[in-house]
Amino acid sequence: MPVRLAKTALTLAASLALSLPAAASALATAPVHGGSADRGAHGRAASPDPGALLRLTRTYEATLKYRSLPRALADGYEEHLCMARDEGGMGFHYFNEALFGSLDPARPAGLLYEDDGHGGRRLAGVEWVVPVDDAGGTRPRLFGQDFQGPMDGHYPGMPRHYDLHAWLYKHNPKGTFAQWNPRVTCPAATASTSTSRN
């Protein structure tokens, strides 16, 4: 095996081995969404669910390739808008509408990117989107987390929906599944401020 290929394989194996403890830490500090009286409230999870931990690791493994934006575009993700407000940002949204309604940990409908400071985009998180009409009157759940919403679409043609974010590639001090990340911003010329609340 060529030396370069061997180094790449070892690096990949090491990163995958490290992803399970990172996911465990992420779930241990993940916010738990409040009930209908206060869906924006955040508590702390008592302990990570091993099944949820495994599914979150699957998400990381399945989306790692999207650190390369051209791979995301090739797989059907299209750029829409960059969202930010006073409490934080979500970054640039890239959606694959064919994946709306997916609750598969390995197939999120949205990818969240931030400016990398060099004219490119850096993957920060992922997002699942479930249209209200597909939810069957029940708030979706994934990784033991209630989805946020329902909320109006973020761009023309996007349906009223529920969504769930996972900040796998950019630490969020509010928690892995918090909607807004105070460490993510949008360039002034592209920022779209969302006023929708849960």
Side-chain angles (χ1 to χ4, degrees), residues 4-142:
R4 176 181 277 176
L5 183 57
K7 285 183 180 179
T8 301
L10 286 172
T11 301
L12 180 59
S15 69
L16 291 178
L18 291 173
S19 68
L20 191 61
S25 174
L27 278 175
T29 60
V32 177
H33 302 301
S36 60
D38 185 10
R39 291 191 183 99
H42 293 97
R44 294 283 175 197
S47 61
D49 168 12
L53 176 61
L54 182 59
R55 291 189 300 276
L56 190 62
T57 301
R58 282 184 50 218
T59 303
Y60 178 80
E61 292 170 352
T63 60
L64 191 60
K65 63 184 176 181
Y66 297 133
R67 294 193 322 184
S68 165
L69 183 55
R71 299 239 359 227
L73 297 173
D75 281 355
Y77 289 90
E78 297 178 3
E79 181 180 359
H80 285 280
L81 71 167
C82 192
M83 292 178 66
R85 63 184 187 193
D86 291 344
E87 64 190 274
M90 292 182 192
F92 292 94
H93 286 69
Y94 286 74
F95 289 114
N96 181 337
E97 293 182 1
L99 296 177
F100 282 180
S102 169
L103 291 174
D104 182 341
R107 294 171 57 83
L111 302 173
L112 306 171
Y113 289 86
E114 63 178 344
D115 237 347
D116 70 1
H118 305 288
R121 303 273 164 87
R122 178 173 42 234
L123 186 60
V126 299
E127 178 179 355
W128 290 264
V129 175
V130 176
V132 170
D133 291 346
D134 294 352
T138 304
R139 179 181 300 278
R141 285 179 62 82
L142 188 61

Side-chain angles (χ1 to χ4, degrees), residues 149-193:
M151 65 194 77
D152 292 334
H154 304 310
Y155 58 86
M158 184 179 189
R160 187 164 171 76
H161 65 280
Y162 297 94
D163 65 27
L164 180 69
H165 300 77
W167 298 98
L168 296 180
Y169 299 95
K170 175 86 172 188
H171 174 68
N172 186 345
K174 292 184 173 185
T176 300
F177 299 105
Q179 193 172 30
W180 301 94
N181 188 335
R183 298 181 66 213
V184 173
T185 60
C186 290
T190 63
S192 171
T193 302

